[in-house]
């Protein structure tokens, strides 16, 4: 498998608004986990009085207070949300109430019934040779409905020294947005591209085909730096994306080969493809394999016995 050049982040200064570029400050919430890395990074954009806030973060009193202190003397004119997982959007409602600034996003998270909801929702971090795992069953902020909905390539918000444009990047979730800061050729990537880990794609709302298309959209841009909500910035953006895409396509090719060789269940595919990962993580790894299988079924490369829809327990055959 292609090695991804992951980027580490030094231990964060929780509670501090750290200037990371002339136009960007970041406040990291103290909600570290194997999913959020050191925690949720809330970005404040703008060097003047008017600022935008990207991904206000989780309902955490200490983070709320630190963010409010960081905004002292500034006027929040826009609250932008990359997607509505509970580590990104919940504080948007509080910040809107305090400042009157509109919330901006692609739209609310769709309410989708997951046929595999009773299954384990843990997945190894793909590419992590240690085989460590990360929880992917994030709670969803179904209460979040943006005041203003934006679409791909639309200007989401602007100030005296900053302009933020929406880049629709479905895959991790169907309503995921990145935001491009024109003045610094920077892209706030949310969970679409993270420097420390691959991105979780968990059906039914997670969509591997959409994710790969979105990666190509971002690859076609000319961003100098990626600022993810979790982890360190990515500066070698093209090489990083190339490795991300190659890694996913290699995993997909492995799934196709496994089915063609007679491996008919996701559990058996995981046992084969994740043979170097701890056995207790094999069942959870099925969520990642399922995402690939859903794409392959849609493309007519793999079929489901009985023409049923793809699930963790379905039986698959080559076409």
């Amino acid at each position: 498998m292609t090695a991804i050049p992951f980027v580490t982040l030094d231990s964060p200064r929780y509670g501090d608004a750290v200037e990371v570029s002339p136009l960007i400050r970041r406040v990291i919430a103290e909600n570290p986990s194997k999913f959020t890395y050191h925690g949720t990074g809330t970005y404040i954009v703008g060097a003047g009085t008017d600022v935008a806030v990207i991904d206000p973060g989780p309902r955490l009193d200490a983070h709320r207070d630190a963010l409010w202190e960081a905004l002292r003397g500034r006027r929040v004119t826009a609250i932008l949300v990359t997607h509505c997982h509970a580590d990104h959007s919940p504080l948007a409602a509080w910040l809107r109430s305090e400042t009157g600034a509109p919330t901006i996003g692609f739209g609310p998270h769709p309410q989708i019934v997951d046929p595999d909801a009773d299954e384990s929702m843990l997945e190894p971090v793909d590419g992590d040779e240690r085989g460590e795992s990360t929880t992917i069953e994030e709670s969803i902020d179904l209460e979040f409905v943006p005041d203003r909905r934006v679409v791909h390539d639309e200007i989401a918000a602007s100030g005296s020294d900053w302009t933020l444009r929406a880049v629709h990047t479905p895959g991790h979730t169907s309503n995921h947005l990145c935001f491009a800061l024109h003045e610094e050729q920077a892209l706030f990537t949310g969970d679409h591209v993270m420097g420390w880990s691959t991105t979780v794609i968990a059906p039914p709302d997670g969509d591997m085909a959409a994710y790969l298309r979105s990666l190509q959209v971002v690859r076609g841009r000319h961003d100098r730096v990626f600022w993810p909500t979790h982890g360190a910035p990515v500066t070698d953006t093209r090489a990083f994306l190339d490795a991300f895409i190659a890694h996913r396509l290699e995993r997909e090719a492995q799934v196709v080969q496994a089915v063609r060789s007679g491996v008919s269940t996701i559990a058996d595919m995981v046992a084969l493809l994740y043979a170097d990962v701890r056995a207790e993580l094999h069942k959870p790894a099925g969520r990642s394999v399922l995402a690939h299988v859903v794409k392959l079924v849609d493309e007519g490369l793999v079929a489901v016995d009985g023409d049923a829809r793809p699930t963790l327990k379905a039986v698959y055959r080559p076409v």
Side-chain angles (χ1 to χ4, degrees):
M1 297 288 288
T2 296
I4 299 173
F6 290 122
V7 184
T8 58
L9 178 69
D10 292 336
S11 297
R13 291 157 44 189
Y14 293 122
D16 291 345
V18 178
E19 183 176 306
V20 294
S21 84
L23 289 177
I24 303 170
R25 290 181 296 152
R26 181 178 58 197
V27 182
I28 299 179
E30 195 168 0
N31 62 329
S33 72
K34 288 185 178 181
F35 182 77
T36 61
Y37 196 38
H38 289 309
T40 297
T42 296
Y43 292 99
I44 302 169
V45 180
T49 301
D50 292 350
V51 298
V53 175
I54 300 176
D55 281 351
R59 289 190 180 95
L60 190 65
D61 289 350
H63 184 59
R64 179 200 62 203
D65 295 344
L67 180 57
W68 191 243
E69 179 63 26
L71 293 170
R72 185 185 299 274
R74 307 295 181 96
R75 181 171 59 243
V76 179
T77 60
I79 303 163
L80 298 95
V81 171
T82 61
H83 63 295
C84 23
H85 279 155
D87 54 325
H88 291 252
S89 60
L91 277 186
W94 159 79
L95 190 57
R96 179 184 184 276
S97 175
E98 294 292 334
T99 66
T103 56
I104 300 168
F106 185 80
H109 193 285
Q111 300 194 34
I112 300 175
V113 176
D114 183 356
D116 293 311
D118 62 333
E119 296 289 340
S120 174
M121 296 283 281
L122 296 174
E123 177 187 2
V125 178
D126 248 354
D128 187 340
E129 294 178 354
R130 296 168 298 173
E132 292 190 355
S133 63
T134 179
T135 299
I136 70 174
E137 188 178 20
E138 296 184 274
S139 18
I140 299 168
D141 181 11
L142 292 174
E143 297 178 1
F144 177 77
V145 178
D147 296 316
R148 179 171 164 236
R149 301 188 186 195
V150 291
V151 297
H152 181 70
D153 208 35
E154 181 179 357
I155 292 180
S158 61
S160 60
D161 57 357
W162 53 271
T163 306
L164 290 165
R165 188 177 294 273
V167 181
H168 186 211
T169 49
H172 176 62
T173 63
S174 56
N175 69 340
H176 194 288
L177 286 175
C178 297
F179 295 103
L181 176 59
H182 170 74
E183 289 76 7
E184 293 191 354
Q185 290 183 273
L187 188 69
F188 297 94
T189 55
D191 284 357
H192 185 61
V193 178
M194 298 183 292
W196 72 285
S197 170
T198 53
T199 298
V200 169
I201 312 298
D205 190 53
D207 186 313
M208 186 64 73
Y211 182 66
L212 287 169
R213 289 193 298 269
S214 297
L215 286 176
Q216 292 291 356
V217 168
V218 173
R219 189 181 184 280
R221 296 175 48 81
H222 301 284
D223 301 300
R224 183 184 58 83
V225 58
F226 296 152
W227 291 102
T229 300
H230 308 287
V234 175
T235 55
D236 194 354
T237 57
R238 179 60 64 88
F240 198 84
L241 283 174
D242 285 346
F244 250 51
I245 293 167
H247 184 88
R248 295 289 187 179
L249 293 178
E250 288 167 13
R251 182 69 77 196
E252 177 180 293
Q254 290 179 339
V255 172
V256 172
Q257 182 57 41
V259 175
R260 288 177 177 170
S261 66
V263 181
S264 61
T265 67
I266 285 180
D268 288 343
M269 293 179 211
V270 170
L272 174 66
L273 303 182
Y274 289 83
D276 58 345
V277 174
R278 298 197 310 271
E280 62 266 28
L281 297 177
H282 283 195
K283 179 181 175 182
R287 298 297 296 198
S288 179
V289 174
L290 175 62
H292 285 289
V293 169
V294 169
K295 175 177 180 289
L296 293 168
V297 169
D298 288 343
E299 293 173 348
L301 297 174
V302 171
V304 188
D305 275 1
D307 295 323
R309 62 182 175 180
T311 66
L312 288 173
K313 295 179 180 179
V315 176
Y316 299 95
R317 54 183 168 78
V319 174

